[in-house]
Amino acid sequence: MQRALSFDASPPLRAPMRFFLTAPVFGIAGGLLLTWQGADAFASRWMPSTLALTHLLVLGFLAMTMIGALLQMLPVVAGVTVPRVAGVGCWVWIGTTAGTVLLASAFLMSAPLLFQLATVTLALAFAGLLAAVVRGLLQAAPQAAAATVNGMRLALLSLAATLVLGVTLGSYFGWNANVPVARLVNFHAAWGLLGWVGILIVGVGFQVIPMFQATPVYPRHMTRWLPGVIACLLLLRMLPGAGAQVAAWCLAAAFGLFGVWTLRLLARRRRPKRDVTTLFWRLAMGCLAVAALMAVLPGIDDARPMLLGVLFIAGCAVSAVSGMLYKIVPFLLWYHLQEAAGAASKAPSIRILLSEQAAEQHFWLHAGALAMLVGAVFVPELARPAGAAFAIASLRLALNLASAALRYRRALQVSGSAVVGA
């Protein structure tokens, strides 16, 4: 069972939209950085260019989009009111944007002052987000939305752990603090990617896959237990000894189960017509399932870290987030147009605001760039063309979303209505 959405509780349009429109810019920046650095970025996950690229995508693209989605979904899905949501959204957006630029620059330039500024800026931004939503998330969730709300809670707890670990690492790079860097980096990456990003994709997927893809719902035992199991396994992974390796294998199995089960549900869609968001979700879940397999497959130890990074970040997370953007952005624009126009005039359809053809062109550009990124793990000379292809795909996404926003503006002007929340 799923909860009916309360769109009358939606925040002002500008609260989530600024995040959605900014995110592709960081995708473009990441692609251009890879084009500039070339094979060096695939030499090791410890290379400054690799760390800069990773944070441009994870903070600038993924976290930016996911924060916007949280600000929109918390009141609509969970009934959680974010106090002063417009001000909070602006604060977090400025901090995340500036902090991501500062952090990527700090890695590229090895500048302690930039690490200091990035650490403080990002800490203030994410602490503001957590402070704004924690009270509402502590309230009892509607029963029909319990699985998604539970996933959001655990994802935000993972974000808090990622933030603490990131600030600790920032104290090393910025202030030369004596900390166990290698262990903290592994924990920071695990909580950031598998906890914050992974659990949120799982929790949101429980709601949006059946709703927007017209599939059967997920099994109740999976929606009830899977996010918590992932969080517990992340805790166990921090323990010393053989137990950490067993926990890592179990994490791969948990995410692999979600990926394969989602592909199974998508194969049973009740809508025969192809939907571009379905293509993105199939690509995302296919990459997640392959990444789970690669995490335990013997004989690829040298390539494993880079391959898992490409499959999970660019393959699973960026694909899933892109698919969600093509649902949520045109729908929000259409909904706010409908609210502004009222009974006096009819809002343009969702397909006019953002065409399916434009979205599908982005999908194929993204899929091609992803294939080249995977190839670059084994043939580093492909890194530059892969970076250029990823930048082009991100530019297409940016143009698609910006065009939809401009059509929204024009439709408001034509209707003679005041701009509502924009």
Side-chain angles (χ1 to χ4, degrees), residues 395-410:
L395 176 61
R396 183 61 182 177
L397 173 61
L399 293 175
N400 288 347
L401 298 182
S403 297
L406 289 173
R407 291 188 184 102
Y408 163 82
R409 290 279 189 177
R410 285 197 294 267

Side-chain angles (χ1 to χ4, degrees), residues 58-59 62-67 70 126 129-130 151-152 154-160 162 189-202 234 312:
V58 174
L59 281 174
L62 297 178
M64 188 74 70
T65 309
M66 291 159 64
I67 293 168
L70 276 174
F126 285 106
L129 172 68
L130 292 168
M152 291 178 177
L154 291 171
L156 286 167
L157 284 173
S158 299
L159 175 60
T162 306
W191 283 103
L193 293 177
L194 303 182
W196 161 232
V197 176
I199 293 178
L200 193 58
I201 288 176
V202 170
L234 283 169
F312 188 84

Side-chain angles (χ1 to χ4, degrees), residues 13-329:
L13 181 59
R14 65 182 180 272
M17 195 59 61
R18 57 166 60 98
F19 292 93
F20 299 151
L21 295 178
T22 305
V25 176
F26 285 100
I28 297 169
L32 293 177
L33 175 60
L34 180 57
T35 306
W36 172 36
Q37 294 292 314
D40 287 348
F42 278 82
S44 166
R45 68 183 181 120
W46 300 101
M47 293 291 291
S49 56
T50 309
L51 293 169
L53 173 60
T54 299
H55 286 87
L56 283 173
L57 295 182
V58 174
L59 281 174
F61 188 95
L62 297 178
M64 188 74 70
T65 309
M66 291 159 64
I67 293 168
L70 276 174
L71 294 178
Q72 175 63 37
M73 293 186 68
L74 283 171
V76 172
V77 175
V80 172
T81 301
V82 180
R84 299 182 180 87
V85 63
V88 169
C90 185
W91 171 271
V92 177
W93 176 76
I94 291 173
T96 305
T97 302
T100 302
V101 173
L102 287 167
L103 186 58
S105 302
F107 280 121
L108 291 172
M109 300 169 65
S110 300
L113 177 59
L114 292 179
F115 278 114
Q116 294 170 10
L117 293 172
T119 300
V120 173
T121 303
L122 289 168
L124 290 174
F126 285 106
L129 172 68
L130 292 168
V133 303
V134 66
R135 182 176 178 182
L137 284 173
L138 291 175
Q139 300 170 2
Q143 184 176 359
T148 296
V149 175
N150 184 48
M152 291 178 177
R153 287 169 178 159
L154 291 171
L156 286 167
L157 284 173
S158 299
L159 175 60
T162 306
L163 179 61
V164 171
L165 291 164
V167 169
T168 306
L169 286 167
S171 70
Y172 167 79
F173 290 108
W175 291 273
N176 202 27
N178 185 19
V179 296
V181 176
R183 283 177 60 81
L184 289 180
V185 166
N186 289 333
F187 296 153
H188 176 68
W191 283 103
L193 293 177
L194 303 182
W196 161 232
V197 176
I199 293 178
L200 193 58
I201 288 176
V202 170
V204 171
F206 290 153
Q207 178 78 28
V208 302
I209 293 293
M211 175 175 294
F212 292 131
Q213 300 301 320
T215 71
V217 298
Y218 288 85
R220 178 173 293 184
H221 62 271
M222 180 183 288
T223 61
R224 180 177 296 179
W225 297 109
L226 186 59
V229 166
I230 292 172
C232 290
L233 288 171
L234 283 169
L235 286 171
L236 292 174
R237 194 176 180 275
M238 298 179 71
L239 299 176
Q245 185 59 59
V246 173
W249 290 336
C250 292
L251 275 168
F255 279 108
L257 171 65
F258 177 75
V260 171
W261 200 280
T262 303
L263 288 171
R264 179 173 176 268
L265 292 180
L266 291 172
R268 299 167 62 193
R269 293 178 73 237
R270 292 188 292 273
R271 294 175 187 161
K273 187 176 179 180
R274 187 172 67 177
D275 185 333
V276 69
T277 58
T278 310
L279 296 176
F280 275 108
W281 273 107
R282 284 175 174 160
L283 179 61
M285 295 300 101
C287 287
L288 183 60
V290 172
L293 179 61
M294 294 297 104
V296 299
L297 196 69
I300 60 166
D301 290 344
D302 291 341
R304 196 188 312 274
M306 294 299 298
L307 181 59
L308 291 180
V310 169
L311 287 171
F312 188 84
I313 297 173
C316 172
V318 172
S319 300
V321 163
S322 298
M324 286 190 281
L325 283 172
Y326 282 125
K327 280 295 184 186
I328 193 170
V329 168

